[in-house]
Amino acid sequence: MTDPGDGRRVTRDGIHIDRDIADAVAIEEELDSNVVGPYVFPDPRRRRTPASIYAVLAVLVAIVIDPVVAVLPAVLAAWHLLAAWPLEIQPEGALGSAAAAVPFSVGHASAAVTFHGVRARPRWSVVLYSAAEPPDKRALVVVDAVTGETVGEPYIEDLAPA
């Protein structure tokens, strides 16, 4: 472990900042390594709020200014409403679906949400490493975050020994 002298500790687990320093510089909760507990990815259905704001704006613009000008906020309201997919599958479920899609036993894994298409359908991109030490295979599996189904074929590659 190294200590750069400003309250940070650097270990194999990452960079850790002491609680008092994190509070003093107002580190956002998403970046604060001191926050412990389960993390739930924000649901894309929260896009319904801007959709309702744009819809109200479209009505007001149509009444006060011109109905033709109200087309833009109406289109934005419709897009936000159509892009408000429910995030039914959380990272743990995506990891399980991805592990079932590969032909090797899984060791380390990581999931990141991505959005696909004009309506921004959520998908989990899951990277899996084999359970061998060191890992001899890795895979990228895309899992639909609404249905939990695997999208396409997993990409699997062999890793060269270190």
Side-chain angles (χ1 to χ4, degrees):
M1 173 168 63
T2 60
D3 185 358
D6 59 359
R8 292 182 296 155
R9 294 185 328 271
V10 181
T11 66
R12 291 193 69 168
D13 295 329
I15 298 173
H16 301 281
I17 302 172
D18 291 332
R19 174 82 270 159
D20 55 340
I21 294 172
D23 290 339
V25 296
I27 292 179
E28 295 179 30
E29 185 177 1
E30 294 86 16
L31 303 175
D32 190 353
S33 64
N34 295 307
V35 176
V36 178
Y39 179 77
V40 177
F41 189 83
D43 198 326
R45 283 183 285 198
R46 66 186 176 166
R47 289 184 177 176
R48 291 179 180 164
T49 301
S52 60
I53 293 169
Y54 285 126
V56 169
L57 181 65
V59 170
L60 290 175
V61 167
I63 293 171
V64 175
I65 300 174
D66 184 11
V68 175
V69 178
V71 170
L72 179 62
V75 168
L76 286 172
W79 181 79
H80 274 283
L81 192 59
L82 291 172
W85 293 98
L87 190 69
E88 298 292 342
I89 307 300
Q90 288 295 320
E92 299 80 16
L95 292 171
S97 295
V102 295
F104 56 84
S105 59
V106 176
H108 296 285
S110 176
V113 74
T114 60
F115 297 92
H116 180 73
V118 175
R119 289 184 53 204
R121 187 178 178 99
R123 291 179 172 179
W124 289 102
S125 295
V126 183
V127 178
L128 307 162
Y129 288 89
S130 67
E133 192 57 44
D136 57 355
K137 293 185 184 302
R138 98 176 130 198
L140 172 64
V141 181
V142 178
V143 177
D144 188 290
V146 178
T147 64
E149 297 174 359
T150 303
V151 178
E153 289 295 316
Y155 172 77
I156 301 171
E157 66 181 7
D158 293 325
L159 297 175

